[in-house]
Amino acid sequence: MAPSSDAACPSEVEIELFPFIRVYKNGNIERLFGTRTVPASLDATTGVASKDVTIDPATGLSVRLYLPPAAGAGAKKLPVLVYFHGGGFMVESAASPMYHRYLNAVAARAGAIAVSVEYRRVPEHPLPAAYDDSCAALAWAVDACAAGGGGSEPWLAAHGDASRVFLAGDSAGANIAHNVALRAAAEVIAGVMLLHPFFWDPSNTMAPELEVRIRREWRFMCARPDAKLDDPRICPTSAGAATLLAAMPCGRVMVAVAENDFLAPKGRAYHAALLASGWRGEAELVDTPAQGHVFHLLRPGTEAAAEMLGRVADFISRA
């Protein structure tokens, strides 16, 4: 089913999840934002080159790769950042202008190769399609780095360090990063960054209308009217999930929240649960005052966004 405009959708609305999406009774889907794309390119500001690579033609899984100028500075291998975009599993893409700009900036600042994953989206492909695609993209990136000069993907083969692979994402993408990390082998991931993660936590109540919204969204994402919010994929602090957190297969995790983001209590609860789980790693909480959800993406020219970019780059460069 292809995205449609209001003019092309005379049918009645069956489901509306504002601000993301409308689904019409005739099957048309209208994405309310995040539909613009930009091509891969050589970024004049940062000097970062990008290109699109198809991983699985059968599913349409692809990635946008970002190669920083640091790749030409010598024979030293570079860290690799596998990034999952946000958008409620419904909107945005690896080619969205906002994410293209951000990954250019991160790759340049951190001196890292970035792998931005174009996973399948809801509702055409309910969860766990996005998780499965993202796991496949991580495995592909690690294999491409490990292949060395004879690998099929030359940027990763020549410049990617398979021992310094990081996962990161914002909002729904942070949810993906967490779930991909739990499914990864222990030796694969150096660290995980969860930026304003989309999680549920029953111990931190929010306004009733927001609780109803998250319940509706999760059922829609799973295409199951009986989907429960105690599912550890959306509620990693649920009963029984502590054993999953304790097995987080990396030594470092950064959780970033913003004071004016209604999801901030969920991120703080995740950080606390990770520390309490028995996991033997370093967990950092970045709590930005007076800012809202994904402010670093929406207002990239601000001082707060620059500070967040620096924290992300530092997390990678400390490996």
Side-chain angles (χ1 to χ4, degrees):
M1 294 180 285
S4 306
S5 67
D6 282 333
C9 295
S11 176
E12 293 182 54
V13 173
E14 182 175 23
I15 299 171
E16 179 176 77
L17 294 176
F18 189 81
F20 298 109
I21 205 164
R22 291 190 188 102
V23 179
Y24 293 83
K25 289 185 177 180
N26 65 2
N28 284 326
I29 296 168
E30 181 186 8
R31 289 184 163 88
L32 304 179
F33 72 94
T35 59
R36 289 184 55 226
T37 61
V38 293
S41 61
L42 176 62
D43 184 61
T45 301
T46 62
V48 173
S50 58
K51 66 179 179 180
D52 296 326
V53 179
T54 299
I55 295 176
D56 186 351
T59 63
L61 173 61
S62 66
V63 296
R64 177 162 291 185
L65 298 182
Y66 295 82
L67 187 70
K76 185 179 179 181
K77 296 272 190 169
L78 303 178
V80 176
L81 173 66
V82 181
Y83 193 88
F84 311 104
H85 69 80
F89 298 98
M90 296 175 248
V91 299
E92 301 288 5
S93 74
S96 295
M98 180 171 68
Y99 287 103
H100 185 70
R101 179 183 63 237
Y102 182 66
L103 270 298
N104 274 318
V106 171
R109 181 72 178 270
I113 301 174
V115 181
S116 185
V117 181
E118 182 74 348
Y119 54 82
R120 287 173 290 174
R121 298 177 303 182
V122 170
E124 296 92 335
H125 305 282
L127 296 177
Y131 297 136
D132 294 342
D133 286 351
S134 299
C135 286
L138 170 62
W140 173 87
V142 171
D143 288 347
C145 292
S152 60
E153 176 23 62
W155 286 5
L156 288 170
H159 304 290
D161 186 346
S163 70
R164 291 189 293 162
V165 176
F166 294 85
L167 302 182
D170 64 278
S171 197
N175 177 292
I176 292 174
H178 160 77
N179 282 286
V180 170
L182 293 183
R183 290 165 61 171
E187 67 275 8
V188 167
I189 304 172
V192 177
M193 291 177 282
L194 308 179
L195 312 179
H196 307 174
F198 174 72
F199 289 138
W200 168 261
D201 178 71
S203 67
N204 288 286
T205 58
M206 55 174 62
E209 63 272 17
L210 292 176
E211 294 191 14
V212 170
R213 168 184 162 179
I214 290 184
R215 290 180 188 278
R216 288 188 68 215
E217 288 176 352
W218 183 243
R219 291 165 181 162
F220 181 75
M221 293 163 184
C222 297
R224 286 180 46 209
D226 62 341
K228 305 296 185 184
L229 285 177
D230 60 358
D231 185 326
R233 297 177 299 176
I234 182 68
C235 186
T237 58
S238 63
T243 55
L244 296 175
L245 290 176
M248 177 68 72
C250 64
R252 295 166 55 219
V253 172
M254 182 176 84
V255 182
V257 300
E259 180 183 17
N260 296 338
D261 181 5
F262 76 90
L263 289 173
K266 313 304 184 184
R268 296 187 191 108
Y270 176 94
H271 176 260
L274 183 61
L275 290 176
S277 70
W279 173 66
R280 298 181 179 181
E282 172 191 339
E284 175 186 3
L285 179 65
V286 178
D287 202 332
T288 304
Q291 297 295 330
H293 191 61
V294 298
F295 67 88
H296 58 293
L297 299 175
L298 298 175
R299 293 182 295 280
T302 62
E303 182 178 343
E307 181 181 351
M308 179 59 68
L309 177 63
R311 286 183 176 274
V312 168
D314 181 66
F315 187 91
I316 296 170
S317 62
R318 283 191 286 124

